[in-house]
Amino acid sequence: MPSPPETDPLVIRDLEFLGGMASADGWRPPVELPEIAFAGRSNVGKSSLLNKLVRRRAFARVSNTPGRTRELNFFKVNGAFVLVDLPGYGFARVSKTRREEWRPLIEGYLRRSAALRGVVQLLDVRHDPTREDHLMFALLAEIGVPTIVVVTKTDKIGAGTLRARLHALAVELRLDEDQVIAFSAETGAGRDELAEALVELLKQPEWRSA
Ligand code: GDP
């Protein structure tokens, strides 16, 4: 259910596509605002989540344009922060070399962006984390960037199974269950919780210099 505007923690008044970054040393928009990056394997439900988060279809249109799916796409939100849509990683049906192509670009960005404030890492509630997911978690832990974990497509399973899955994922990934947000683009569940978590993250001091 959409929340009434007065209780929405993140009302999107303005959304501007800034452009895409196609290689680790390629063009990126000038660093002017704090950045929050969204990561997950392809098909995890990232575009659907972003559309729900900003209540617009612009993400799906831009980020799913051929050629853009392998780039990092930058969107300025409310003139206040930049949302970075990382390319989905880990297509199961391509060769190992192709499967690893995402690493230099994503890793280069995460290591180098001076404006990065946090990462929202997505996992499909129905699947165990893949090898690539574990690589991402290891990278995020090593860099030390604040990370929010969101499990997607929670409407696809019942409430009891969801509780069990959240517990199992928290144990496997050594997270506190409170750190994991259960989300559904279908029902909108978790949208406001995620919005609130982002607002809180943006209030924190820059962690690299903390
Ligand atoms: P992306 O590749 O990570 O951007 O994934 P998409 O957002 O394109 O979603 C992949 C598929 O999962 C699409 O068929 C979506 O309709 C479906 N999907 C995404 N989120 C949800 C959700 O919350 N619930 C359900 N039932 N399906 C979802």
Side-chain angles (χ1 to χ4, degrees), residues 164-187:
R165 284 297 297 156
L166 290 175
H167 179 71
L169 281 169
V171 170
E172 180 173 354
L173 299 165
R174 299 202 190 98
L175 301 165
D176 201 59
E177 261 176 79
D178 297 345
Q179 282 177 272
V180 183
I181 298 175
F183 183 90
S184 165
E186 198 70 25
T187 66

Side-chain angles (χ1 to χ4, degrees), residues 41-48 64 153 155-156 184-186:
R41 62 176 186 77
S42 13
N43 220 36
V44 71
K46 184 152 53 62
S47 328
S48 307
N64 292 338
K153 310 190 189 181
D155 58 283
K156 294 211 181 204
S184 165
E186 198 70 25

Side-chain angles (χ1 to χ4, degrees), residues 34-54:
E35 294 173 4
I36 295 188
F38 287 71
R41 62 176 186 77
S42 13
N43 220 36
V44 71
K46 184 152 53 62
S47 328
S48 307
L49 173 139
L50 289 170
N51 282 329
K52 203 77 195 173
L53 179 68
V54 302

